Amino acid sequence: MARTSPLERTRNIGIMAHIDAGKTTTTERILYYTGVNYKMGEVHDGAATMDWMQQEQERGITITSAATTCSWKEHRINIIDTPGHVDFTIEVERSLRVLDGAVGVFCGVAGVEPQSETVWRQADQYQVPRLAFVNKMDRVGADYERVIGMIRGRLGARAVAVQVPIGAEDEFRGVVDLLAEKAIYWDDDSLGAEYHTEDVPEAMREAVAEAREQLVEAAADIDEDVAHRFLDDQPVSPEQLGKAVRAGTLRQKLVPVLCGSAFKNKGVQPLLDGIVDYLPSPLDVPPVRGVSEDGASEGLRQADDNEPFAALAFKLMSDQHVGHLTYIRVYSGAAKSGGQVLNSNRDRKQRLGRLLQMHANKRQDLEEVRTGDIAAVVGLKQISTGETLCDPETPIVLEALRFPDPVLWIAIEPKTKADLDRLAGALERLSQEDPSFRVSVDEETGQTLISGMGELHLEIITDRLLREFGVRANVGRPQVAYKESITRSAKVEGRYIKQTGGSGDFGVVEIEVGPGEPGSGFSFKSAVKGGAVPTEFISAVRRGCEEASQSGPLAGYPVVDVWVRLLDGQAHDVDSSERSFKIAGSIAMKDALEQAGPVLLEPVMAVEAVTPEDFVGSVQGDLSSRRGEITGIEMRSASQAVQAQVPLATMFGYVNNLRSLTQGRATYTMQFSHYAAVPKSAAKGIVYS
């Protein structure tokens, strides 16, 4: 089959932002103006195409990332609309992993908000070129220059305006394109589908000339031709300037900034032009890297249909009509429906079933997928998020995704025997779909525990259990996912020696444990000399130590950020075995943790409460009473944003408190920041062992 769209005219982009900045509304307008939808769906009516889940429509928020495809000026644009709520940050993470470019949407009033920072840092991590769209320019308090300043200051990005707004708040009428130096106005009668250009208004000419000069100056740092013309005071053509801005964006030296009001149907078509003009095609990003199946050698895959097939499974979900769906991003080569591929992470061959082009929860069959495509495969068995599908003749393992650890857990108990039978299968499917959702069983009580990224995350999970899977269950109160660590090093000997008449058990190990860097997890090294512990038993010692660290000495929580060094040991020619050394390692680890100054760790959240000025003192006092540390206060139009670091354990039910303190006029956002030691005064009720 011939390509329907050349690779250089393909764009894989994500729409990302803080909750309620207007991502989904912007995507709805894009689908309307590109002819995919014949009418606009509104988020507040529960009619947005990309918010297709029942839970999304009821709450007016995006929960799961949705993929769609549209065409603009002979370019094919694959779009993923990502959630803005911090509880669903994994959806943003896995989307950015497979995208070539992104559009950061910012509220014209609030500017850079906490989750905007989080998703921006995630994009930095995956080196995704971006442009910024300052939305809601029609809102009271909208300030374009202030938002650009926040992007530069808070995000460390070199934001350059390629447009300036004509008016603001209820006077917002259009934008000026700084490259062409033309004003663009939209026709309200056609819902913004029709627009026309005029000369720049007389009153704005000086400001536009100044803004264009700043743009040319930024472009001069990227392009030598522009630099020469700038220094010689010669005019720079729109084509030259556009080429330099594109080069700067692809190299992540510039972030072009556009503006508009998606809800009022202004500014969306130039945003589409910006996506086409400035964001990369699959040919503009570096070749994807991977390793051989045994991890011994590196490999590259160029973005080319003639290369061996390689794709990454970045999202799994269940569809009530077609069953199990696996979303894939194709990095190289092509594959047909019914063809055979290799899951290189599991060394298992699989047959591709139906291939689907997804449009939110609607589907269109495909005969094949090619380089640069984002598509879904029906019916793949035994596959997890982050695994690689490739040509069986030339296997490669692409870099997997990293998933955050849950910070909350709740106990869940089915109401009837029938619910019990359905619960296990439902939880397995949900944990396959969402790697930030975990299921475990408490060994002491036998309770099923489900863990997630926040209260809303777990609320959505339990709601889906009832609606999608028909499981009725009693749900406990949310509990904080504490962890344990140590404050000093300790050396300990662990002995496991038993004689029972026949062959016995004999294992003696000496280990040293110590505190590691925050976020380092568990690390193990052997410093044994002279074969005191036979090489074949060292991995058993490691397993014993690792298993013992799953239950800490203070309260039975997992122990993190520790290193273990195996120093010495003794073995017996007959009685030593993997089992005896594993048990000896476990005994030594438990003793060492008790002697190494164990401490309890709790998740600390970055909280931002936006409140009218009259209530700032009350909000500060309330956060301080929750063991919070105020980190800053910032003006936001007519309000003030109080920023603080607060332990998650004290934040349950905060929304009701905040409303009563501020007559319902304040809002807040909260996201995970880091783990920190629990003060002894607060730890008494937690430590039960």
Side-chain angles (χ1 to χ4, degrees):
M1 257 180 78
R3 258 194 174 277
T4 53
S5 179
L7 207 49
E8 62 271 15
R9 291 212 295 268
T10 298
R11 301 287 183 270
N12 289 318
I13 64 141
I15 311 284
M16 61 182 201
H18 185 88
I19 191 168
D20 205 31
K23 299 175 301 303
T24 302
T25 302
T26 302
T27 309
E28 287 297 316
R29 300 310 188 258
I30 287 173
L31 297 179
Y32 179 73
Y33 296 135
T34 56
V36 174
N37 286 353
Y38 66 91
K39 68 173 186 176
M40 298 176 190
E42 302 296 0
V43 174
H44 56 265
D45 294 334
T49 305
M50 305 301 274
D51 286 351
W52 55 270
M53 285 175 67
Q54 198 170 352
Q55 291 86 353
E56 293 177 313
Q57 293 165 357
E58 288 173 355
R59 290 167 174 81
I61 61 169
T62 302
I63 291 168
T64 182
S65 52
T68 189
T69 298
C70 61
S71 294
W72 183 254
K73 296 188 175 176
E74 298 182 349
H75 284 71
R76 179 184 175 187
I77 305 174
N78 297 319
I79 302 172
I80 296 183
D81 175 31
T82 64
H85 198 286
V86 65
D87 283 16
F88 309 106
T89 189
I90 182 64
E91 293 287 341
V92 185
E93 183 93 18
R94 59 181 169 192
S95 300
L96 288 171
R97 168 67 178 84
V98 298
L99 293 170
D100 302 324
V103 176
V105 179
F106 298 91
C107 172
V109 180
V112 177
E113 297 173 273
Q115 185 65 2
S116 316
E117 282 191 66
T118 302
V119 296
W120 198 269
R121 304 283 177 240
Q122 287 172 312
D124 282 341
Q125 182 183 330
Y126 291 111
Q127 298 185 320
V128 178
R130 277 144 280 173
L131 57 82
F133 179 63
V134 180
N135 192 26
K136 302 190 178 184
M137 286 304 300
D138 60 306
R139 287 262 308 271
V140 174
D143 188 333
Y144 186 57
E145 289 298 326
R146 178 176 158 276
V147 177
I148 292 177
M150 291 176 79
I151 295 171
R152 290 172 183 156
R154 283 198 183 185
L155 305 179
R158 188 170 185 188
V160 289
V162 294
Q163 291 178 351
V164 291
I166 302 171
E169 301 181 352
D170 58 349
E171 296 291 316
F172 176 66
R173 291 177 296 128
V175 301
V176 173
D177 178 354
L178 293 179
L179 279 77
E181 295 181 277
K182 289 287 184 184
I184 306 172
Y185 297 95
W186 279 265
D187 174 26
D188 289 336
D189 294 336
S190 66
L191 295 176
E194 302 293 330
Y195 58 100
H196 64 279
T197 58
E198 294 180 13
D199 290 335
V200 177
E202 189 69 40
M204 289 186 67
R205 288 196 176 170
E206 192 176 322
V208 166
E210 187 181 327
R212 192 176 198 272
E213 188 173 352
Q214 290 175 1
L215 175 60
V216 172
E217 188 178 344
D221 292 341
I222 306 297
D223 188 293
E224 283 190 19
D225 290 343
V226 174
H228 289 313
R229 299 187 77 83
F230 176 68
L231 292 171
D232 294 341
D233 279 335
Q234 293 182 331
V236 179
S237 71
E239 293 74 25
Q240 284 177 308
L241 195 49
K243 181 185 163 195
V245 172
R246 176 177 175 78
T249 307
L250 298 186
R251 283 154 53 187
Q252 295 166 65
K253 302 287 187 189
L254 296 179
V255 175
V257 186
L258 302 91
C259 60
S261 170
F263 184 61
K264 293 293 176 69
N265 312 316
K266 292 178 172 65
V268 177
Q269 293 94 334
L271 173 62
L272 281 163
D273 290 339
I275 290 168
V276 165
D277 293 342
Y278 305 132
L279 291 181
S281 75
L283 297 171
D284 295 317
V285 294
V288 67
R289 292 183 174 275
V291 295
S292 57
E293 281 185 287
D294 58 7
S297 58
E298 277 203 0
L300 288 177
R301 289 287 185 272
Q302 305 285 343
D304 189 334
D305 289 344
N306 298 316
E307 284 264 306
F309 179 72
L312 188 77
F314 69 94
K315 180 179 168 72
L316 276 63
M317 64 174 282
S318 299
D319 185 292
Q320 60 180 344
H321 301 293
V322 295
H324 193 68
L325 283 179
T326 305
Y327 280 77
I328 61 170
R329 157 71 198 264
V330 183
Y331 283 99
S332 64
K336 292 183 183 297
S337 176
Q340 196 173 67
V341 294
L342 175 74
N343 180 334
S344 52
N345 295 82
R346 300 173 185 252
D347 194 22
R348 177 188 173 91
K349 289 183 180 176
Q350 299 212 1
R351 190 167 298 282
L352 294 176
R354 285 172 66 193
L355 297 174
L356 302 175
Q357 177 74 65
M358 297 301 293
H359 175 53
N361 64 333
K362 297 182 175 66
R363 300 157 294 278
Q364 178 185 339
D365 279 283
L366 299 171
E367 289 183 33
E368 68 173 352
V369 287
R370 291 172 173 265
T371 303
D373 285 352
I374 291 176
V377 187
V378 179
L380 286 179
K381 305 294 183 189
Q382 290 189 311
I383 189 166
S384 297
T385 303
E387 293 186 344
T388 303
L389 298 175
C390 61
D391 182 347
E393 302 301 317
T394 51
I396 189 171
V397 180
L398 303 178
E399 183 190 353
L401 289 143
R402 292 177 290 276
F403 306 120
D405 288 329
V407 295
L408 272 187
W409 60 266
I410 55 175
I412 186 164
E413 196 175 86
K415 288 188 174 179
T416 67
K417 175 76 168 62
D419 291 320
L420 176 64
D421 295 339
R422 286 193 289 265
L423 180 64
L427 289 177
E428 185 183 353
R429 281 173 65 180
L430 287 170
S431 58
Q432 274 185 340
E433 287 182 25
D434 182 356
S436 65
F437 167 65
R438 313 275 169 85
V439 182
S440 60
V441 176
D442 188 308
E443 291 182 6
E444 291 183 15
T445 64
Q447 283 183 309
T448 299
L449 307 177
I450 58 175
S451 312
M453 300 306 297
E455 288 182 89
L456 180 61
H457 188 195
L458 293 175
E459 184 187 319
I460 297 296
I461 291 286
T462 51
D463 193 39
R464 289 185 65 192
L465 280 172
L466 176 62
R467 294 196 195 187
E468 286 179 39
F469 301 98
V471 178
R472 291 173 306 143
N474 297 317
V475 177
R477 287 186 62 222
Q479 305 291 322
V480 175
Y482 292 98
K483 294 181 181 179
E484 296 183 29
S485 192
I486 55 176
T487 55
R488 59 178 182 263
S489 59
K491 284 185 186 177
V492 168
E493 184 182 74
R495 304 172 70 86
Y496 184 67
I497 302 172
K498 281 193 174 180
Q499 296 299 325
T500 54
S503 61
D505 286 301
F506 189 99
V508 178
V509 298
E510 185 185 350
I511 64 169
E512 182 182 13
V513 303
E517 292 292 316
S520 60
F522 175 91
S523 64
F524 180 93
K525 280 186 181 176
S526 172
V528 172
K529 293 176 182 172
V533 177
T535 308
E536 64 268 26
F537 297 145
I538 289 175
S539 61
V541 178
R542 180 198 170 106
R543 287 200 305 276
C545 292
E546 201 163 4
E547 284 181 17
S549 71
Q550 294 306 304
S551 180
L554 288 178
Y557 293 109
V559 181
V560 295
D561 304 336
V562 293
W563 53 259
V564 181
R565 194 175 292 119
L566 178 58
L567 303 174
D568 202 358
Q570 296 172 43
H572 189 278
D573 291 342
V574 177
D575 293 347
S576 289
S577 64
E578 281 202 11
R579 176 176 173 273
S580 51
F581 271 97
K582 181 183 173 185
I583 295 172
S586 180
I587 291 168
M589 188 68 181
K590 284 182 177 174
D591 290 346
L593 291 174
E594 286 185 3
Q595 295 176 29
V599 291
L600 201 65
L601 303 178
E602 64 181 346
V604 175
M605 313 302 283
V607 177
E608 183 177 86
V610 180
T611 173
E613 199 166 345
D614 299 351
F615 307 108
V616 169
S618 302
V619 170
Q620 277 184 275
D622 184 57
L623 289 171
S624 297
S625 72
R626 297 169 184 270
R627 294 195 281 123
E629 181 186 335
I630 308 297
T631 56
I633 300 177
E634 190 179 275
M635 283 298 295
R636 290 272 175 87
S637 188
S639 301
Q640 295 210 22
V642 180
Q643 288 139 4
Q645 300 269 322
V646 193
L648 174 61
T650 67
M651 288 299 291
F652 293 119
Y654 178 63
V655 65
N656 294 328
N657 250 51
L658 185 66
R659 283 174 184 158
S660 63
L661 284 171
T662 62
Q663 300 172 4
R665 293 168 64 192
T667 60
Y668 87 103
T669 56
M670 178 172 76
Q671 61 190 44
F672 173 70
S673 174
H674 63 280
Y675 269 87
V678 180
K680 285 186 178 177
S681 58
K684 289 175 185 173
I686 304 163
V687 178
Y688 56 77
S689 64

